[in-house]
Amino acid sequence: MRWENLSTGDGHSRADAALFGADAVTTRTVDTPEFRGITFHEIRARSIVNRVPGASRMPFEWTVNPYRGCSHACVYCFARKTHGYLDLDSGLDFDTQIVVKVNAPELLRHRLASARWQGEHIAMGTNVDCYQRAEGRYRLMPGIITALRDHANPFSILTKGTLILRDLELLKQASEVTDVGISVSVGFVDESLWRTVEPGTPAPERRLDVVRTLTDHGIGCGVLMAPVIPFLGDRPDQLRATVRAIAASGATSVTPLVLHLRPGAREWFMSWLARHHPHLVNRYERLYAEGAYAPKWYQRRITRQVHELARAHGIGPAAPGLPRRIRPAAGTATGPVESVESAPPEPTQLTLL
């Protein structure tokens, strides 16, 4: 594996921006049912706070990703291509060869304490899920959230994982001193579709239970209705059922995002489609003939339908971000630090690398 080629993704050359060297890697296999077939590559990273590329559509500038690869094994995952930087494939290797940045909490704490850090918003779960199964073993997120809490640094988490409830008390503590945004990803509630396209994830209803629990404890939680999968999860009755379930969970917002297929993800998804739904291959080739994104007319149609359903159930899309204010630590004279988020101009599935 070319570990030295792993870069921060901020435009620097791989040689200059390598996050760790091969001598910092420990490879482990765990012979327990929940991790059977999965290999963990434990590394001591050189950096953990990454700047989002300037061309990104994301409404935030900084991310933390304690893992690479994801046992959720979603066939459409846009992050699959990143495994190629390690000489691993974007298919089965992405699902089973998990890179664990074991020193992530200490690196983050050091960065937040730096005089150069201005308290900007940090997004997590935008590349691979920080609450995938590996987190149950490595427990990196408690240290990460604690560091963010101690520095009153605003952050957000996007997840499909129910393990986030383990850290409920920490999230409550952090929300008392800074802006904390939580979103759960639920693109559909069709059980047969879930079992085939997201085989390593908790069931959609279990994820909506997370929304209920967070909301009941005073932590507002939105739902990213992503991805809406063309011809498999986009029928009016399917959209209606999903929005109805999201509304019943107490979600503060619902934001639909149509499936997009970037290189790496596209090949793996189309291979899956040919095996499970061969009659749809030609339709997908036509729909995505212009690139990774479905045509804007299709995205707008789905967005309009979901928003109409959401309004009927008393919820709506996520509002554009307001200025985030970090409360100064007790006993300091430092004023609030502000950063601003804005909603992306077009509906699009999250992309980072």
Side-chain angles (χ1 to χ4, degrees):
M1 264 180 247
R2 295 181 304 178
W3 296 108
E4 69 277 8
N5 287 347
L6 183 61
S7 70
T8 60
D10 61 3
H12 296 136
S13 69
R14 288 177 174 177
D16 292 340
L19 295 182
F20 52 86
D23 58 350
V25 180
T26 300
T27 299
R28 300 184 192 278
T29 57
V30 182
D31 189 21
T32 57
E34 67 269 31
F35 298 127
R36 186 158 293 140
I38 296 177
T39 299
F40 297 109
H41 303 282
E42 301 172 359
I43 64 97
R44 293 193 61 81
R46 296 173 183 164
S47 175
I48 195 64
V49 180
N50 300 317
R51 185 189 293 273
V52 177
S56 171
R57 304 183 184 191
M58 293 301 96
F60 46 79
E61 189 175 359
W62 301 95
T63 65
V64 164
N65 294 293
Y67 301 98
R68 278 183 179 253
C70 186
S71 59
H72 283 344
C74 301
V75 297
Y76 52 75
C77 184
F78 60 84
R80 288 183 173 277
K81 188 179 179 181
T82 62
H83 249 40
Y85 304 150
L86 305 177
D87 275 350
L88 295 168
D89 69 58
S90 61
L92 187 60
D93 282 351
F94 182 84
D95 302 338
T96 61
Q97 303 283 330
I98 310 301
V99 177
V100 184
K101 303 173 187 177
V102 294
N103 60 335
E106 61 191 82
L107 282 175
L108 177 60
R109 186 172 289 277
H110 179 75
R111 182 64 180 273
L112 296 179
S114 170
R116 297 176 59 188
W117 182 250
Q118 298 299 307
E120 294 96 335
H121 175 86
I122 289 177
M124 292 174 283
T126 60
N127 190 24
V128 301
D129 204 318
C130 49
Y131 282 105
Q132 60 176 287
R133 276 180 287 166
E135 174 60 17
R137 172 179 172 82
Y138 288 97
R139 299 181 62 88
L140 300 180
M141 289 302 293
I144 288 171
I145 296 172
T146 298
L148 291 163
R149 178 203 65 189
D150 291 349
H151 288 272
N153 201 99
F155 65 92
S156 60
I157 299 172
L158 170 64
T159 185
K160 290 186 176 79
T162 56
L163 189 58
I164 190 174
L165 294 182
R166 179 202 63 195
D167 298 335
L168 178 59
E169 186 58 35
L170 281 173
L171 292 171
K172 289 168 63 177
Q173 293 172 13
S175 68
E176 293 174 356
V177 297
T178 192
D179 191 358
V180 177
I182 309 294
S183 292
V184 172
S185 177
V186 181
F188 42 83
V189 292
D190 184 312
E191 185 168 319
S192 61
L193 183 59
W194 157 64
R195 289 184 183 278
T196 57
V197 301
E198 300 172 345
T201 66
E205 185 55 42
R206 294 281 289 113
R207 288 177 243 163
L208 293 176
D209 286 341
V210 170
V211 178
R212 291 186 187 91
T213 302
L214 291 172
T215 301
D216 288 346
H217 285 81
I219 301 176
C221 184
V223 170
L224 193 66
M225 191 171 158
V228 175
I229 303 179
F231 317 128
L232 292 172
D234 64 349
R235 295 195 316 268
D237 63 304
Q238 291 174 307
L239 298 178
R240 187 177 304 109
T242 303
V243 173
R244 182 169 58 244
I246 291 170
S249 74
T252 58
S253 65
V254 56
T255 305
L257 299 174
V258 173
L259 173 74
H260 86 277
L261 297 172
R262 298 184 70 182
R266 187 184 188 113
E267 294 81 1
W268 190 246
F269 179 86
M270 292 301 289
S271 175
W272 171 87
L273 192 70
R275 293 193 307 274
H276 293 268
H277 304 280
H279 63 288
L280 292 179
V281 171
N282 288 338
R283 296 184 71 181
Y284 264 83
E285 289 175 345
R286 291 194 297 270
L287 188 67
Y288 289 88
E290 300 301 318
Y293 293 90
K296 288 185 177 180
W297 64 262
Y298 179 86
Q299 295 187 54
R300 288 169 179 155
R301 190 187 81 189
I302 295 298
T303 299
R304 182 177 64 253
Q305 288 179 292
V306 170
H307 286 178
E308 288 173 354
L309 291 165
R311 281 194 295 272
H313 286 87
I315 57 176
L322 299 175
R324 300 183 176 273
R325 297 183 181 274
I326 305 175
R327 302 176 191 175
T332 70
T334 305
V337 179
E338 297 186 359
S339 64
V340 179
E341 289 186 323
S342 59
E346 293 288 345
T348 176
Q349 185 161 327
L350 290 176
T351 57
L352 179 59
L353 294 173

